[in-house]
């Protein structure tokens, strides 16, 4: 869900705070991977500290609570170190709220004690509001006079850039080895596409000779191509040199058919331009390959395709791709262990990289890592508890693992309750019973805690004043008007749920898939009781 009157960035930070992490905007405009992102983040924080030293807290709050303060899509958070209340953010709707992920009991409170006067780096998952994927971010925090100054940048975007540059480099190698005609013939075929990657190529006169998605462009001058927003993207791409350049613009995504923000790497070689790019967000509900696929079949196919990429591109290129957002397909991502059973790929929990999978134990004591390490060349299936991508609470996951070249390649999917609609109703019934038994205050306290989560299920309650009094997943939304909520298609979901009767109603909605690859359908069960609306929901498999 999103809040209608908020900006896109404001909606994104509300979502990320709900996942117990700040959503720091990615540097989606792209750039050479040699850029020192840590240094840029440190400099951004130092600039804020200088303003604080020169002009005081009021000046910092005023400036860094405005979107004018965003630089390279980084922004600053100023937090009271005693109360963990946000004093400055460029999203004013969040100011004054407790940042629970840093507060006592929060998942990263332990990092606070490590912050020194020189600053402290730590890594945590966050929802990237550009790609809308859960990605690792590097946070930099500095204390001053009882305050914490915090900013961050995402790390997976660099791997996407590596994958893009390597795709272009392979095309240039093919050109050198096989010649122009063979290269043009290969890349004008859709067989040359690699997920969202495809090549477009222009000759010495800047005329298209390759474009597998829009073959009608072949023979036209790239400098004449203008985006729908008026940006002369063709002229920018035509400026490409042998060193290469990045260009960001709007362009149709071949996987969705929708116009999206694209970041392209273009290199001038032998007078010609070789270029490809990646998309920074999916904005449609087009049916994607995994939408109605059998999850076991899709899991095995996903792993088999990963092994094919490893054989084709080599280990380093393979690792860069599968440790990047480019590799996500719905809920599917890859994790890989080397010959020593140490993780070398895990895009969701990169802190596992370098650790032995055999040391991984589930919250129920099941030694799942040791079982994964038993993978054979024929492949094995196993079932275990793993954080669910909706609530990050433990849920049942089914994984497929196969050993190839003495490495283990694995992926998996989550199992919903056998009867999700009935379980959703039962979850709401139990909440109403708890309210009747224990009273309003106890019910609110329980369902605003993570203890109340059951896999993907959590409770939301609209109070008699038509504001949220319970939100088990998005606590920062408590106190906001329910009627202000609309979904990704603009449907007034909040207003629909307030029509709930004592018998209960179903409300359908769409939301972004947590991995960012497409959308998920939500089924909300809403019941009016004692002047309030009690709700829970379940998600269809990510589309």
């Amino acid at each position: 869900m999103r809040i209608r009157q908020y900006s896109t960035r404001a909606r994104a930070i509300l979502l990320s705070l709900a996942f117990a992490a700040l959503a720091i905007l990615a540097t989606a405009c792209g750039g050479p991977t040699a850029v020192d992102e840590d240094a840029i983040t440190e400099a951004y924080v130092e600039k804020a500290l200088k303003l604080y030293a020169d002009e005081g807290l009021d000046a910092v709050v005023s400036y860094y609570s405005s979107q004018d303060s965003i630089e390279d899509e980084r922004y600053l958070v100023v937090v009271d170190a005693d109360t963990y209340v946000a004093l400055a953010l460029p999203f004013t709707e969040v100011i004054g709220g407790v940042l629970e992920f840093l507060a006592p009991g929060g998942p990263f409170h332990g990092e606070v004690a490590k912050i020194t006067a020189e600053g402290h780096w730590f890594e945590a998952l966050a929802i990237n509001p550009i790609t809308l994927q859960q990605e690792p971010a590097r946070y930099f925090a500095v204390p001053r006079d009882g305050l914490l100054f915090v900013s961050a940048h995402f790390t997976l975007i660099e791997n996407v850039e590596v994958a893009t540059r390597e795709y272009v480099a392979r095309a240039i190698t093919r050109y050198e080895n096989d010649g122009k005609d063979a290269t043009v013939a290969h890349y004008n075929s859709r067989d040359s596409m690699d997920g969202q990657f495809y090549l477009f190529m222009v000759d010495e006169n800047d005329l298209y000779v390759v474009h597998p998605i829009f073959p009608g462009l072949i023979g036209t001058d790239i400098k004449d191509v203008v985006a729908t927003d008026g940006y002369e993207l063709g002229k920018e791409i035509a400026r490409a040199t042998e060193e290469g350049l990045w260009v960001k613009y709007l362009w149709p995504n071949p996987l969705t058919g929708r116009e999206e923000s694209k970041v392209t790497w273009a290199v001038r070689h032998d007078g010609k331009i070789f270029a490809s790019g990646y998309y920074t967000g999916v904005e449609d509900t087009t049916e994607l390959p995994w939408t109605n696929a059998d999850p076991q079949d899709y899991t095995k196919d996903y792993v088999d395709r990963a092994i094919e990429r490893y054989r084709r591109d080599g280990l380093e290129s393979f690792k860069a791709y599968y440790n990047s957002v480019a590799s996500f397909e719905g809920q599917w991502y890859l994790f890989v262990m080397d010959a020593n059973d140490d993780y070398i790929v895990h895009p969701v929990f990169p802190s596992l990289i370098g650790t032995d999978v055999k040391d991984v134990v589930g919250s129920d004591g099941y030694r799942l890592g040791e079982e994964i390490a038993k993978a054979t060349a024929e492949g094995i299936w196993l079932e275990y508890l793993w954080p669910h991508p909706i609530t990050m609470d433990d849920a049942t996951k089914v994984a497929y693992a196969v050993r190839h070249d003495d490495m283990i390649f694995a992926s998996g999917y989550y199992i919903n309750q056998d009867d999700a609609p009935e379980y959703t109703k039962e979850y709401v019934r139990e909440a109403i019973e708890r309210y009747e038994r224990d009273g309003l205050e106890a019910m609110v306290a329980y369902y605003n805690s993570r203890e109340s989560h059951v896999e993907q299920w959590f409770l939301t309650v609209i109070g008699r004043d038509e504001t949220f009094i319970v939100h088990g997943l998005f606590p920062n939304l408590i106190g906001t008007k329910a009627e202000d909520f609309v979904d990704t298609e603009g449907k007034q979901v909040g207003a629909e749920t307030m029509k709930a009767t004592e018998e209960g109603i179903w409300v359908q909605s769409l939301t972004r898939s947590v991995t960012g690859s497409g959308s998920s359908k939500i089924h909300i069960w809403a019941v009016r009781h004692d002047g309030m609306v009690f709700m829970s929901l379940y998600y269809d498999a990510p589309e």
Side-chain angles (χ1 to χ4, degrees):
M1 290 185 179
R2 58 187 176 126
I3 296 179
R4 181 172 53 208
Q5 73 271 29
Y6 290 1
S7 68
T8 300
R9 290 190 176 97
R11 291 193 297 270
I13 194 169
L14 290 171
L15 179 61
S16 356
L17 286 170
F19 276 88
L22 293 172
I24 309 300
L25 295 175
T27 50
C29 58
T33 55
V35 169
D36 189 338
E37 299 289 350
D38 284 4
I40 295 172
T41 300
E42 287 186 7
Y44 182 73
V45 174
E46 287 298 326
K47 179 180 176 182
L49 292 170
K50 185 176 187 306
L51 178 63
Y52 173 69
D54 292 344
E55 301 184 30
L57 180 59
D58 289 344
V60 169
V61 168
S62 176
Y63 179 66
Y64 287 99
S65 294
S66 72
Q67 295 202 2
D68 290 341
S69 66
I70 298 172
E71 295 181 10
D72 294 325
E73 299 191 333
R74 285 173 173 79
Y75 60 82
L76 189 79
V77 183
V78 180
V79 183
D80 185 304
D82 293 324
T83 64
Y84 302 98
V85 168
L87 304 179
L89 275 169
F91 319 104
T92 57
E93 300 85 355
V94 185
I95 292 175
V98 174
L99 301 188
E100 312 236 355
F101 79 111
L102 287 175
F108 308 117
H109 181 66
E111 300 293 340
V112 175
K114 302 176 185 177
I115 300 174
T116 66
E118 292 73 32
H120 172 62
W121 285 98
F122 65 98
E123 296 185 359
L125 284 178
I127 298 293
N128 182 333
I130 298 298
T131 64
L132 291 180
Q133 317 238 19
Q134 281 199 87
E135 301 174 24
R138 279 183 55 76
Y139 293 75
F140 184 61
V142 178
R144 285 294 185 275
D145 303 331
L147 304 171
L148 298 178
F149 291 70
V150 186
S151 189
H153 60 270
F154 282 101
T155 55
L156 286 186
I157 195 72
E158 297 172 14
N159 289 331
V160 181
E161 291 170 1
V162 169
T164 306
R165 293 170 69 135
E166 288 182 343
Y167 185 83
V168 173
R170 286 197 298 273
I172 293 173
T173 299
R174 180 182 288 269
Y175 169 81
E176 287 294 319
N177 292 338
D178 300 344
K180 177 182 174 181
D181 291 345
T183 301
V184 167
H186 174 73
Y187 285 103
N188 271 326
S189 166
R190 283 190 172 236
D191 292 340
S192 67
M193 290 179 60
D194 187 355
Q196 62 178 294
F197 296 121
Y198 62 86
L199 189 81
F200 59 98
M201 177 179 169
V202 300
D203 66 12
E204 298 87 342
N205 300 312
D206 291 343
L207 302 180
Y208 281 100
V209 292
V210 169
H211 207 300
I213 306 304
F214 296 110
L217 288 173
I218 293 173
T220 65
D221 193 324
I222 193 173
K223 296 190 294 298
D224 295 332
V225 177
V226 179
T228 56
D229 60 356
Y231 179 60
E232 294 181 320
L233 65 97
K235 290 182 179 178
E236 290 301 311
I237 293 172
R239 294 174 52 242
T241 65
E242 292 182 358
E243 288 73 35
L245 59 77
W246 292 97
V247 183
K248 181 180 177 182
Y249 52 90
L250 294 175
W251 196 256
N253 185 332
L255 295 182
T256 68
R258 288 288 189 90
E259 187 174 72
E260 301 166 19
S261 179
K262 183 174 185 178
V263 182
T264 284
W265 174 245
V267 177
R268 178 82 66 175
H269 176 79
D270 198 23
K272 304 164 184 66
I273 295 176
F274 296 74
S276 188
Y278 62 92
Y279 293 85
T280 60
V282 177
E283 293 298 336
D284 84 325
T285 59
T286 301
E287 185 172 294
L288 294 167
W290 51 85
T291 301
N292 295 312
D294 177 87
Q296 282 204 348
D297 290 345
Y298 199 87
T299 301
K300 187 175 184 304
D301 177 68
Y302 182 82
V303 173
D304 289 346
R305 285 187 282 113
I307 293 172
E308 290 175 9
R309 178 183 284 270
Y310 161 71
R311 290 170 176 164
R312 184 193 72 197
D313 299 343
L315 181 61
E316 292 308 312
S317 175
F318 165 84
K319 288 195 298 183
Y321 180 77
Y322 282 101
N323 276 319
S324 80
V325 298
S327 66
F328 284 76
E329 297 181 15
Q331 64 177 306
W332 282 271
Y333 60 86
L334 195 75
F335 54 103
V336 181
M337 285 65 66
D338 65 12
N340 298 315
D341 293 340
D342 292 339
Y343 282 97
I344 58 174
V345 169
H346 206 302
V348 176
F349 294 109
S351 60
L352 289 173
I353 292 175
T355 66
D356 192 326
V357 70
K358 296 189 295 294
D359 294 334
V360 178
V361 181
S363 60
D364 59 352
Y366 178 58
R367 302 191 68 82
L368 65 97
E370 291 181 359
E371 295 302 314
I372 292 173
K374 295 176 182 177
T376 66
E378 290 71 37
I380 62 171
W381 289 93
L382 60 157
E383 186 175 301
Y384 53 88
L385 295 178
W386 195 252
H388 193 282
I390 301 300
T391 63
M392 294 308 290
D393 291 310
D394 281 345
T396 303
K397 185 166 187 175
V398 176
Y400 172 72
V402 62
R403 196 172 284 275
H404 175 80
D405 250 10
D406 210 22
M407 297 187 295
I408 298 172
F409 297 73
S411 188
Y413 63 94
Y414 290 87
I415 299 178
N416 283 337
Q417 292 277 347
D418 290 338
D419 190 348
E422 185 55 39
Y423 187 83
T424 305
K425 290 182 176 182
E426 178 62 25
Y427 188 85
V428 172
R429 281 196 295 269
E430 290 177 357
I432 292 173
E433 289 172 4
R434 182 180 289 268
Y435 164 68
E436 290 294 335
R437 182 184 70 239
D438 300 339
L440 180 63
E441 185 175 344
M443 183 276 292
V444 167
Y446 176 72
Y447 285 103
N448 276 329
S449 73
R450 297 186 67 86
E451 180 186 357
S452 66
H453 294 179
V454 179
E455 296 194 358
Q456 65 174 290
W457 283 273
F458 58 91
L459 191 74
T460 303
V461 180
I462 301 172
R464 299 182 184 93
D465 62 353
E466 300 186 350
T467 67
F468 287 105
I469 60 173
V470 171
H471 208 306
L473 192 58
F474 303 133
N476 290 76
L477 304 186
I478 293 171
T480 62
K481 282 286 187 181
E483 67 180 9
D484 291 330
F485 280 81
V486 299
D487 69 9
T488 56
E489 288 191 321
K491 181 178 181 179
Q492 294 179 315
V493 178
E496 289 296 311
T497 57
M498 286 193 294
K499 297 177 183 177
T501 64
E502 292 182 357
E503 290 73 31
I505 63 171
W506 285 103
V507 177
Q508 315 301 327
S509 177
L510 282 173
T511 190
R512 176 71 51 200
S513 166
V514 176
T515 59
S517 302
S519 300
S520 291
K521 185 177 291 185
I522 294 177
H523 306 270
I524 304 168
W525 177 246
V527 177
R528 186 168 291 278
H529 179 80
D530 201 16
M532 298 176 287
V533 178
F534 291 70
M535 297 178 289
S536 191
L537 55 85
Y538 69 94
Y539 290 70
D540 283 349
E543 298 181 356

